[in-house]
Amino acid sequence: MHKTMMIMLLVGASGTAWAQEFSKASQCVAGVRVVDREGNKGEIVELNNGMCKVRKDADGETRFYMHWYLRPVGASAQTSDKLSKGLYACYTLAGGMTNYAFIDIRIDSADSYRDKRGKSGKYRLTDSGKIIFESGSLAAANGKLMAGPRIGLNMDGGSFYNITCSPKK
C-alpha cells in the first residue's frame, strides 16, 4: 500500500483522537504533517524511543518532541475536554526525560484550586482554553487546558507550556 494512502487510513481510522494534540506516542507516524504549540509546521520523520522526530518546514532542521506537544496540521489547538475536579500531578521535560515537578494542583471546583501545600486560589477558564490564575500560588503562571484533559503551565508567564499536569489516578 502506498505510504500516503496508509497515513490517510491511519488518520481517518483514529477519528477524534487526532482532533487536538496527540494523546499517545503511537500517533507519531512518519509522513504526517504536524504543528507544534508555537505554530511551527513540519513533517514527522520517525518515532524514536517514544519521541516524535520532526523535520521543520522553516529550516529543514530535525527536532525531537514529546507527542503531546504536536497536533496534525489543520487540527484545532483547542480541546473539548473539561477541567474536572481532582488532583493533577505535574511533570516537566528536560533532556528528553520527564521529571516530577512537585507542583501538583487540586481542582476543587469550576473556579478554585489548591497547590501541593494546600494553599487555595481562584482561576478562570476562558472559551479558548486559557486558564487564568487570578489568585494563589499560581497567579504569576500562564495555564492552558490541553487534551487529556491536562493542564499546561508556564511559570514565567510565557506561552510555551513546559510543565504538564495530568489527572492522578
Side-chain angles (χ1 to χ4, degrees), residues 141-164:
N142 276 351
K144 177 81 174 167
L145 177 61
M146 300 185 299
R150 292 185 317 271
I151 299 170
L153 288 176
N154 182 302
M155 302 308 284
D156 297 327
S159 62
F160 174 78
Y161 304 107
N162 55 341
I163 300 172
T164 303

Side-chain angles (χ1 to χ4, degrees), residues 41-99:
K41 293 181 181 178
E43 183 176 312
I44 295 175
V45 175
E46 68 177 320
L47 178 62
N48 186 323
N49 292 323
M51 299 286 289
C52 306
K53 186 174 182 181
V54 176
R55 183 178 303 110
K56 295 179 356 183
D57 290 350
D59 57 12
E61 175 186 322
T62 57
R63 181 174 174 192
F64 285 93
Y65 291 90
M66 294 298 293
H67 65 274
W68 44 258
Y69 200 76
L70 301 170
R71 67 179 187 277
V73 169
S76 170
Q78 296 180 7
T79 176
S80 61
D81 288 323
K82 305 291 182 217
L83 191 56
S84 304
K85 286 190 215 179
L87 183 64
Y88 290 74
C90 301
Y91 295 86
T92 155
L93 177 65
M97 302 285 295
T98 54
N99 300 300

Side-chain angles (χ1 to χ4, degrees), residues 115-127:
D115 65 16
K116 188 173 180 102
R117 293 186 202 127
K119 182 177 179 183
S120 63
K122 293 288 187 183
Y123 75 92
R124 180 170 43 93
L125 181 61
T126 68
D127 289 340

